[in-house]
Amino acid sequence: MSDVDITQFKVKKEPYYQPVADEVELYDAAYAARMPMMLKGPTGCGKSRFVEYMAWKLGRPLITVACNEDMTASDLVGRFLLDKDGTKWQDGPLTTAARMGAICYLDEVVEARQDTTVVIHPLTDHRRTLPLDKKGELIEAHPDFQLVISYNPGYQSLMKDLKQSTKQRFGGLDFDYPKENIETEIVVKESGVDGDTAQKLVQIAQRARNLKGHGLDEGISTRLIVYAGNLINKGIAPVAACSMTMVTPLTDDPDMRDTLNAAVQTYFG
Ligand SMILES: Nc1ncnc2c1ncn2[C@@H]1O[C@H](COP(=O)(O)OP(=O)(O)OP(=O)(O)O)[C@@H](O)[C@H]1O
Ligand SMILES: [Mg+2]
């Protein structure tokens, strides 16, 4: 048995999430079918916020795991610990979620090694089981359990990608930076700046997104626009706020910085 208090994983307050298409309906149906889901999209476009919102809407606890290449299967599934009374099994986050009927969100799952990723296989097909090999236990997933992974297209190399046998266990939803009017609304709600300022910030970012692949690895994310809005809301001048959030973190290339700063100047100079 697990002695984890599941209430800590409840999403208590409704997260603000602005739908951009029909992703909420599609996810509702996927959850109703208990289909494992893969959320694809660039950094800072709303994937994590969407999962929090859906967990809240569905009334399920949410257990998020940030994956990395040092992560082992035991980090997900659990391990024996030694204490003064001997050995004690401790469930990992995936096991806790499967037992409790939570939504388990594996963030940046591509970062995990393939031998780690395969532990999700029996959970993501008709079996819906999780073998705890070291403990000699086979868990049947709770009927409400669902697995969600995030995937950032374009970051993969041939060596580092999910196997087809992993990919083909999931339904997929594409995410991207929202259209101008929706993104402006998000920036207003999230940062508290006025609509006019938010729109300018969004227009700078949307322009700069055209530089992706032409000197920039990634476009300016919705997250960074919200950062800019936050600083402006704290009284920082827009040019300084934009440079700190929408230029400096993105690139070290002096020419590219000039280009971005010039774009900021056309709106706020
Ligand atoms: N549709 C949306 N509704 C509300 N807020 C949003 C939306 N999209 C983006 N945001 C804002 O952008 C921020 C970043 O979003 P989020 O953390 O969900 O990105 P992500 O896609 O999970 O990024 P990463 O891949 O880097 O983890 C949020 O904190 C929120 O302020
Ligand atoms: Mg995220």
Side-chain angles (χ1 to χ4, degrees), residues 213-231:
H214 304 280
L216 281 187
D217 296 335
E218 270 292 348
I220 297 171
S221 64
T222 309
R223 176 185 294 124
L224 287 178
I225 311 176
V226 170
Y227 280 6
N230 284 335
L231 290 180

Side-chain angles (χ1 to χ4, degrees), residues 22 24 44 59 75 105 116 134 140 156 158 166 194 209 214 230-231 238-239 267:
D22 50 358
V24 174
D75 292 326
Y105 181 40
T116 307
K134 288 186 182 140
E140 304 253 349
Q156 286 72 42
L158 211 52
T166 305
D194 62 78
R209 283 171 191 157
H214 304 280
N230 284 335
L231 290 180
V239 170
Y267 285 88

Side-chain angles (χ1 to χ4, degrees), residues 55-235:
W56 173 84
K57 184 169 182 284
L58 294 163
R60 301 317 309 156
L62 176 64
I63 297 182
T64 299
V65 185
C67 301
N68 63 67
E69 61 184 6
D70 297 326
M71 199 171 73
T72 64
S74 299
D75 292 326
L76 283 178
V77 165
R79 56 167 53 86
F80 281 107
L81 299 177
L82 282 175
D83 66 10
K84 58 182 180 346
D85 305 317
T87 57
K88 185 174 166 244
W89 173 263
Q90 187 177 55
D91 281 345
L94 182 64
T95 308
T96 303
R99 283 192 208 274
M100 307 285 188
I103 291 176
C104 187
Y105 181 40
L106 302 182
D107 211 349
E108 294 286 335
V109 75
V110 184
E111 292 298 321
R113 293 196 316 262
Q114 291 188 347
D115 57 315
T116 307
T117 319
V118 294
V119 307
I120 65 181
H121 282 196
L123 268 180
T124 47
D125 54 35
H126 64 281
R127 290 171 283 180
R128 285 180 62 92
T129 55
L130 179 62
L132 309 181
D133 290 336
K134 288 186 182 140
K135 193 167 178 251
E137 183 184 347
L138 183 71
I139 296 180
E140 304 253 349
H142 186 290
D144 295 338
F145 168 78
Q146 188 201 22
L147 190 71
V148 187
I149 63 176
S150 74
Y151 184 95
N152 199 320
Y155 287 8
Q156 286 72 42
S157 60
L158 211 52
M159 288 304 292
K160 213 175 194 185
D161 193 5
L162 297 179
K163 301 200 286 190
Q164 278 295 331
S165 61
T166 305
K167 286 182 181 174
Q168 296 201 19
R169 296 178 130 73
F170 292 85
L173 279 178
D174 278 324
F175 284 74
D176 206 345
Y177 304 122
K179 291 206 181 70
E180 183 177 318
N181 58 335
I182 295 183
E183 195 164 38
T184 301
E185 193 175 327
I186 293 170
V187 174
V188 168
K189 290 247 169 58
E190 286 284 286
S191 73
V193 290
D194 62 78
D196 205 41
T197 308
Q199 190 175 18
K200 286 183 183 165
L201 294 172
V202 168
Q203 285 174 346
I204 295 167
Q206 300 226 346
R207 269 200 181 186
R209 283 171 191 157
N210 297 327
L211 296 169
K212 182 174 171 181
H214 304 280
L216 281 187
D217 296 335
E218 270 292 348
I220 297 171
S221 64
T222 309
R223 176 185 294 124
L224 287 178
I225 311 176
V226 170
Y227 280 6
N230 284 335
L231 290 180
I232 294 170
N233 208 29
K234 294 270 176 251

